[in-house]
Amino acid sequence: MDNSVSKGPLRGLVGRRAIGFTRQAGMSLVGLIIAAIVLGFAALVVMQVVPLYIADQKLTTIFKSLEEESAGSPAEIRRKVDKQLDINEVDDRFDSKEFEIRPVTGGFNVTYNYDGRATLFGNLSLVAEFKHQTRVRN
């Protein structure tokens, strides 16, 4: 015997919908509003944080180029850093005077540590800590 719907008021309605037995699917208005708030906040965070990492990647390329070159003095290193900051268009964010240049055997250690801030809204900000260090040969 077939165990499909064959008894009761739904007899003979196999494969068809019975009137009054519809299922609702989807999200409620409150759920939709909450999802929009969460997605909006995530988009705001991404839009504010991505420029910090783009600027940091440009700074990373500057440090890699310093590592490949040689310099005779801290003043020469600062000139090269200033030139690279200008080329990479991040000279408004970083200043070569803030780079720490220490003499070591065979060259110089160049270090730059900074905090990048992304203001979300009001007095709420995200802080990202970046550290860079390289060695420049004489």
Side-chain angles (χ1 to χ4, degrees):
M1 177 170 203
D2 186 14
N3 287 341
S4 63
V5 180
S6 61
K7 298 182 181 175
L10 299 177
R11 185 179 320 144
L13 294 178
V14 176
R16 292 186 292 168
R17 270 194 189 163
I19 298 174
F21 287 102
T22 59
R23 276 188 68 121
Q24 292 184 2
M27 191 179 288
S28 68
L29 181 62
V30 173
L32 186 64
I33 291 171
I34 290 172
I37 289 171
V38 169
L39 287 175
F41 184 75
L44 176 69
V45 168
V46 167
M47 288 188 304
Q48 294 294 326
V49 170
V50 166
L52 292 176
Y53 282 96
I54 291 172
D56 186 64
Q57 286 301 315
K58 291 179 180 182
L59 198 59
T60 300
T61 60
I62 292 171
F63 269 82
K64 285 181 182 177
S65 71
L66 282 176
E67 192 174 287
E68 296 169 359
E69 297 177 7
S70 62
S73 69
E76 189 178 340
I77 293 172
R78 288 195 198 284
R79 277 195 303 275
K80 288 181 180 186
V81 168
D82 274 332
K83 182 179 177 183
Q84 289 294 320
L85 288 173
D86 188 38
I87 289 171
N88 288 316
E89 296 179 351
V90 288
D91 52 344
D92 58 331
R93 281 190 183 218
F94 307 112
D95 187 12
S96 66
K97 295 173 187 164
E98 296 173 353
F99 284 63
E100 183 181 336
I101 302 171
R102 286 180 283 132
V104 293
T105 10
F108 298 94
N109 267 346
V110 181
T111 307
Y112 186 61
N113 301 330
Y114 71 100
D115 293 337
R117 293 189 176 272
T119 303
L120 296 179
F121 48 84
N123 61 355
L124 183 63
S125 297
L126 290 175
V127 178
E129 186 176 297
F130 299 101
K131 298 180 180 186
H132 296 278
Q133 180 177 355
T134 192
R135 185 172 180 168
V136 181
R137 297 181 314 268
N138 270 352

